[in-house]
């Protein structure tokens, strides 16, 4: 799960990690009020969307006076912000973070996350702050310091020292930075973060270490133990089809620009089915994994969500019945099709337990369901529909 | 021969009294797996289908000589269940549970080093040596004994692979689902290495997907260490970056973990890559013809 910068900064403050003074605004008036409360300029007006690259897209502006706060807040609020992470459709900005502008001496990069390869918690730091860290990693990997921490042991003083001295910090900055590193480690572990990133982390001209930006992603599997984080969920940032699917615990992802809907059991087979659709010359409109033990209700809701998408010209159902028997699935599909009403051709490929009985149920349903004998046959049939 | 499970495997089931646990225990038993014990704290002394239930894994091992565990414990308690199995010294632990927090798995993964257990999963379909032993939720009847070893991060995609090679008359030595989570107990290389050493396994299918770099590392391992023919498949060519595609581990981060990158690495290692899922059986037949003769 993703959250906004202003929410991440709230968590930072809770853990004692210094951030610039500021507040979130939902209107131009609120932005002006916060600007006035800060009491001095410059003030930074930052678009709050769940995507990076906001500055380059024109979503972050520096206001030198009250008039400029109003001006930038007016232009950014409601704008469709397009960044390299939003896709060409962009995101409408509905919230702003208004905060004090600080005199920057130096920009650094700092992140902490669970590393899947080593099964450790890894800190990554770099003096190349404010830049795209992927680019830094690709072009100048020697500029990135990595420190791995065994989660059974936890963070030790030397871990922070390695980072601090690696960043060429000295004097009081080392102390401030090391304290921050320990707090970030605690935040990452306590809240099951899948990524906690500060880019840039700044050294101010008056000698402070401050998190100028803040990004936190959370492990969805751990949200059950963080009810307070669930409060941070912003439905404005999610696709409406995906929000609907999440109500039924369906693994659904909308694929913009696709024309073939699909419903599959199992994540790997679902991805492979999307690939098949593409290879056959059509484009997948979604990812939908109904899971190994899909209920009739889930199949029905999955169907309804797929068919509600006006760009869908045809649907491919690909099921390998293991524990989920084909006859039971066929009954579910027939029931769902009758209830929801099919307005596009539906190709069904089924294999596995009780497949003959399943195929018979589909054939005898009287519905416009096209059966395919294997995945290649299914792909060809769906391609013909997309072209037709 | 086969790897890790066979007729001598003595299975205990953690979470045997739950609905899923009970259902799949019966399926494993009916397949022919020797299921000797179940564990559910507080339900010791009961029995499930004639299988005795114990309060702790240690006690179950002492009294029944179990040497493997299959875990169906809910995600919030699953890391504890795995560590209990490690402490009890079980040689093989198969965690079916989906949804364990990554932080919990980091601890489990590091704790594994303190014992001698092998963990398969979590979030996996299990492991099967056809005709001998099935530990997991796979449909047993689609498999048959043979000489192709299969390792995969996915469940139903593994069944698809089994089904397709069956159509061409190829059976399996052992089929392992290593699971769709970012941190798992057994990786591709562990399985490939075991398949390479197993005389019954004469050819290998490796099924990967987007996310992480396990396939790239496996490709490098194959190039250096595997002499048996390998075919590979990667799911997720059309997956958008930054989205978790069903499996917690199936996510492209920035430019790393893409299907294209993995396919390239596999090709460079001399692995025959199946691009179109529908072709897997036919390609296996050609690529394995000599090895299976």
């Amino acid at each position: 799960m993703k959250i906004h910068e202003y929410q991440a900064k709230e968590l930072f403050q809770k853990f004692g990690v210094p951030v610039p003074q500021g507040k979130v605004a939902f209107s131009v008036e609120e932005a002006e009020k916060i600007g006035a409360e800060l009491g001095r300029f410059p003030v930074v007006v930052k678009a709050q969307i769940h995507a990076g690259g906001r500055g380059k897209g024109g979503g972050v502006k520096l206001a030198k006076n009250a008039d400029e706060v109003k001006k930038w807040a007016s232009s950014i609020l409601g704008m469709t912000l397009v960044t390299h992470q939003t896709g060409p459709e962009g995101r409408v900005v509905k919230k702003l973070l208004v905060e004090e502008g600080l005199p920057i001496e130096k920009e650094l990069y700092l992140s902490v996350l669970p590393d899947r390869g080593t099964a450790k918690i890894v800190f990554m730091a770099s003096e190349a702050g404010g830049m795209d860290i992927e680019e830094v990693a690709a072009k100048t990997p020697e500029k990135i310091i990595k420190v791995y921490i065994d989660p059974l042991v936890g963070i030790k003083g030397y871990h922070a020292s390695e980072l601090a001295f690696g960043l060429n910090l000295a004097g009081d900055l080392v102390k401030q930075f090391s304290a921050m590193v320990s707090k970030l480690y605690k935040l990452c572990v306590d809240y099951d973060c899948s990524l906690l990133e500060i880019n840039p982390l700044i050294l101010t001209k008056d000698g402070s270490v401050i998190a100028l930006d803040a990004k936190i992603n959370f492990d969805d599997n751990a949200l059950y133990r963080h009810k307070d984080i669930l409060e941070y969920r912003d439905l404005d940032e999610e696709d409406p089809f995906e929000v609907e699917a999440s109500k039924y615990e369906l693994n659904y992802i909308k694929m913009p620009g696709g024309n073939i809907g699909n419903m599959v059991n199992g994540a790997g087979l679902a991805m492979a089915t999307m690939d098949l659709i593409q290879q056959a010359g059509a484009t997948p409109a979604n990812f939908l994994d109904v899971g190994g033990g899909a209920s009739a209700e889930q199949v029905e809701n999955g169907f309804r969500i797929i068919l509600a998408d006006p760009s869908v010209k045809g649907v491919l159902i690909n099921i390998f019945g293991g524990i989920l028997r084909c006859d039971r699935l066929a009954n579910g599909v027939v029931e769902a099709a009758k209830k929801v009403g099919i307005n596009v051709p539906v190709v069904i490929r089924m294999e596995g337990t009780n497949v003959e009985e399943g195929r018979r149920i589909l054939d005898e349903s009287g519905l416009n369901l096209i059966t395919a004998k294997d995945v290649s046959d299914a792909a060809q049939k769906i391609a013909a529909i997309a072209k037709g | 021969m086969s790897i890790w499970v066979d007729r001598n495997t003595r299975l205990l089931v953690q979470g045997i009294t739950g609905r899923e646990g009970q259902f799949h225990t019966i399926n494993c038993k009916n397949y022919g797996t020797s299921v000797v014990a179940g564990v559910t704290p507080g339900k010791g002394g009961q029995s499930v289908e004639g299988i005795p239930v114990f309060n702790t894994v240690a006690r179950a091992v002492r009294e029944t000589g179990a040497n493997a565990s299959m875990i169906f414990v809910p995600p919030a308690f699953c890391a504890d269940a795995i560590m209990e199995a490690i402490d009890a010294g079980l040689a093989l632990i198969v965690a079916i549970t989906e949804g364990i927090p990554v932080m919990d798995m980091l601890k489990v993964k590091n704790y594994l080093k303190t014992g001698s257990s092998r963990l398969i999963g979590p979030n996996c379909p299990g492991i099967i040596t056809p005709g001998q032993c099935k530990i997991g939720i796979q449909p047993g009847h689609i498999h048959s004994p043979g000489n192709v070893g299969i390792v995969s991060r996915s469940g139903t995609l593994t069944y698809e692979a089994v089904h397709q090679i069956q159509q061409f008359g190829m059976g399996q030595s052992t089929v392992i689902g290593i699971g769709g989570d970012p941190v798992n107990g057994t990786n591709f290389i562990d399985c490939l290495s075991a398949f390479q050493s197993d005389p019954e396994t004469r050819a290998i299918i490796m099924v990967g997907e987007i996310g992480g770099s396990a396939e790239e590392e496996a490709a490098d391992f194959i190039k250096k260490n595997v002499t048996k023919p390998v075919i590979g498949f990667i799911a997720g060519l059309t997956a958008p970056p930054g989205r978790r595609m069903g499996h917690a581990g199936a996510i492209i981060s920035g430019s790393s973990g893409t299907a294209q990158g993995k396919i390239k690495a596999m090709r460079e290692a001399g692995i025959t890559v199946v691009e179109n899922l529908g072709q897997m059986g036919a390609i296996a037949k050609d690529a394995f013809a000599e090895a299976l003769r």
Side-chain angles (χ1 to χ4, degrees):
Chain A
M1 186 183 128
K2 292 179 179 177
I3 60 172
H4 288 293
E5 176 194 357
Y6 78 91
Q7 295 165 330
K9 283 180 172 168
E10 281 175 18
L11 282 174
F12 276 18
Q13 282 178 301
K14 192 172 159 185
F15 280 75
V17 176
V19 296
Q21 273 188 55
K23 269 185 188 162
V24 64
F26 297 87
S27 68
V28 177
E29 293 70 34
E30 276 180 309
E32 289 181 86
K33 191 164 160 261
I34 297 162
E37 279 169 7
L38 286 172
R40 60 192 154 92
F41 293 94
V43 159
V44 186
V45 181
K46 302 179 90 174
Q48 298 293 290
I49 58 167
H50 286 184
R54 292 168 296 164
K56 278 185 197 155
V60 180
K61 296 287 181 189
L62 195 69
K64 290 190 281 295
N65 52 50
D67 285 347
E68 284 195 356
V69 172
K70 185 177 182 180
K71 178 179 138 195
W72 294 128
S74 312
S75 68
I76 297 173
L77 256 188
M79 81 184 280
T80 301
L81 186 53
V82 180
T83 80
H84 67 287
Q85 287 184 3
T86 61
E89 68 278 10
R91 293 272 170 79
V92 177
V93 180
K94 295 184 174 172
K95 307 162 189 72
L96 300 171
L97 174 59
V98 181
E99 61 182 24
E100 60 177 339
L102 295 166
I104 300 172
E105 177 70 29
K106 189 171 181 182
E107 297 190 353
L108 306 171
Y109 172 91
L110 184 66
S111 65
V112 52
L113 65 151
D115 181 59
R116 58 196 286 174
T118 59
K120 307 275 192 239
I121 308 279
V122 61
F123 268 96
M124 292 198 281
S126 176
E127 287 186 83
M131 290 163 64
D132 181 355
I133 199 65
E134 274 230 356
E135 224 177 289
V136 178
K139 288 183 187 156
T140 48
E142 70 282 1
K143 287 190 180 165
I144 297 179
I145 307 153
K146 291 185 182 177
V147 173
Y148 295 89
I149 301 165
D150 184 331
L152 292 175
V153 179
I155 190 162
K156 301 288 160 199
Y158 70 89
H159 293 126
S161 299
E162 246 178 274
L163 291 163
F165 293 109
L167 289 168
N168 290 312
L169 300 180
D172 189 56
L173 289 176
V174 173
K175 262 191 214 158
Q176 288 184 48
F177 177 83
S178 300
M180 181 187 268
V181 162
S182 295
K183 289 165 183 167
L184 292 171
Y185 180 85
K186 187 167 166 44
L187 171 54
C188 180
V189 172
D190 286 1
Y191 270 100
D192 287 283
C193 301
S194 54
L195 172 67
L196 193 161
E197 183 178 56
I198 305 173
N199 191 19
L201 173 74
I202 59 161
L203 310 181
T204 62
K205 288 196 189 299
D206 56 2
S208 303
V209 184
I210 292 176
L212 197 64
D213 196 10
K215 176 180 176 178
I216 306 181
N217 295 346
F218 299 91
D219 175 6
D220 292 354
N221 285 349
L223 290 174
Y224 73 87
R225 56 190 178 200
H226 305 295
K227 302 285 182 237
D228 52 338
I229 299 302
L230 286 173
E231 301 288 314
Y232 281 150
R233 187 173 172 195
D234 184 351
L235 296 181
D236 285 345
E237 293 288 328
E238 297 178 33
D239 179 273
F241 287 109
E242 293 180 15
V243 173
E244 179 71 10
S246 70
K247 290 182 194 159
Y248 308 103
E249 293 179 3
L250 290 167
N251 262 320
Y252 173 94
I253 292 171
K254 172 95 180 93
M255 296 287 290
N259 57 8
I260 298 296
N262 58 93
M263 177 155 55
V264 187
N265 66 330
L269 190 60
M271 281 187 273
T273 302
M274 289 168 62
D275 297 348
L276 265 178
I277 292 170
Q278 184 102 332
Q279 283 158 345
T283 45
N286 65 278
F287 166 92
L288 174 56
D289 165 19
V290 291
S295 66
E297 193 200 3
Q298 280 181 308
V299 171
E300 184 188 322
N301 286 309
F303 229 131
R304 194 167 45 73
I305 290 162
I306 291 174
L307 292 173
D309 182 348
S311 53
V312 167
K313 283 191 197 163
V315 176
L316 171 57
I317 298 179
N318 186 13
I319 301 291
F320 203 109
I323 303 313
L324 174 66
R325 286 173 5 213
C326 290
D327 54 331
R328 201 182 291 173
L329 177 98
N331 277 322
V333 170
V334 169
E335 284 303 307
K338 281 181 181 162
K339 265 194 204 165
V340 178
I342 314 179
N343 45 12
V344 294
V346 176
V347 176
I348 303 184
R349 181 273 177 151
M350 269 189 324
E351 198 51 70
T353 314
N354 289 6
V355 65
E356 287 81 16
E357 177 67 4
R359 287 191 185 139
R360 191 188 57 76
I361 292 166
L362 295 178
D363 288 344
E364 292 174 2
S365 69
L367 293 162
N368 181 24
L369 302 170
I370 304 156
T371 49
K373 66 177 194 321
D374 55 34
V375 287
S376 298
D377 186 33
Q380 278 157 20
K381 283 180 167 149
I382 209 73
I385 290 162
K387 283 183 193 114
Chain B
M1 279 278 288
S2 56
I3 70 170
W4 300 329
V5 296
D6 56 27
R7 283 188 189 89
N8 303 317
T9 301
R10 293 172 64 78
L11 185 67
L12 77 78
V13 182
Q14 289 171 262
I16 194 170
T17 53
R19 195 169 57 98
E20 292 272 297
Q22 193 161 344
F23 178 78
H24 292 292
T25 299
I26 294 166
N27 277 339
C28 289
K29 195 178 169 203
N30 290 343
Y31 189 78
T33 307
S34 164
V35 187
V36 298
V39 173
T40 300
K43 297 201 175 169
Q46 300 182 7
S47 73
V48 171
E49 295 281 313
I51 302 160
V53 178
F54 299 86
N55 285 321
T56 66
V57 176
R59 179 82 186 269
V61 169
R62 268 203 308 277
E63 302 212 359
T64 66
N67 56 15
S69 172
M70 170 167 75
I71 303 184
F72 283 97
V73 171
F77 313 103
C78 196
D80 283 14
I82 297 170
M83 292 198 256
E84 184 183 357
I86 296 169
D87 282 353
L90 287 161
L92 182 71
I93 303 164
V94 181
I96 308 299
T97 307
E98 174 173 7
I100 304 176
V102 174
M103 286 297 171
D104 292 6
M105 273 313 298
L106 288 187
K107 290 183 184 144
V108 167
K109 181 86 180 175
N110 286 285
Y111 194 62
L112 270 169
K113 291 179 203 154
T114 65
S116 56
S117 303
R118 165 170 301 288
L119 169 68
I120 294 178
N123 190 12
C124 79
I127 175 169
I128 181 169
T129 292
Q132 297 191 39
C133 178
K134 165 178 124 84
I135 301 179
I137 59 175
Q138 323 86 327
H141 65 88
I142 65 168
H143 302 78
S144 71
N147 304 103
V148 179
I150 302 181
V151 54
S152 167
R153 274 168 71 184
S154 156
T156 46
L157 197 48
T158 315
Y159 314 159
E160 179 75 39
V162 169
H163 171 74
Q164 285 199 29
I165 66 167
Q166 284 289 150
Q167 303 305 300
F168 289 90
M170 290 174 275
Q172 308 85 41
S173 52
T174 298
V175 180
I176 309 156
I178 57 173
D181 274 5
V183 179
N184 55 16
T186 292
N187 63 20
F188 281 117
I189 293 175
D190 299 327
C191 299
L192 291 164
S193 168
F195 281 142
Q196 173 65 21
S197 310
D198 171 36
E200 282 298 303
T201 302
R202 289 194 255 155
I204 301 165
I205 298 179
M206 172 181 153
V207 180
E209 63 190 32
I210 57 161
S213 56
E215 289 83 357
E216 287 88 334
E217 287 147 25
D220 189 49
F221 177 85
I222 289 168
K223 193 176 177 180
K224 292 173 182 153
N225 304 289
V226 178
T227 54
K228 299 173 182 180
V230 182
I231 70 168
F233 178 81
I234 302 289
L237 277 166
T238 52
R243 301 304 306 268
R244 171 171 136 157
M245 306 298 282
H247 286 156
I251 181 163
I252 298 170
S253 320
S255 56
S256 77
T258 65
Q260 288 80 358
K262 291 174 189 297
I263 289 171
K264 184 165 171 275
M266 289 169 97
R267 284 228 168 88
E268 284 169 4
I271 300 164
T272 305
V273 177
V274 178
E275 278 192 43
N276 185 305
L277 180 62
Q279 307 290 313
M280 190 180 285
I283 291 173
K285 182 174 185 283
D286 286 348
F288 298 165
E290 203 176 318
L292 296 179
R293 191 174 293 148

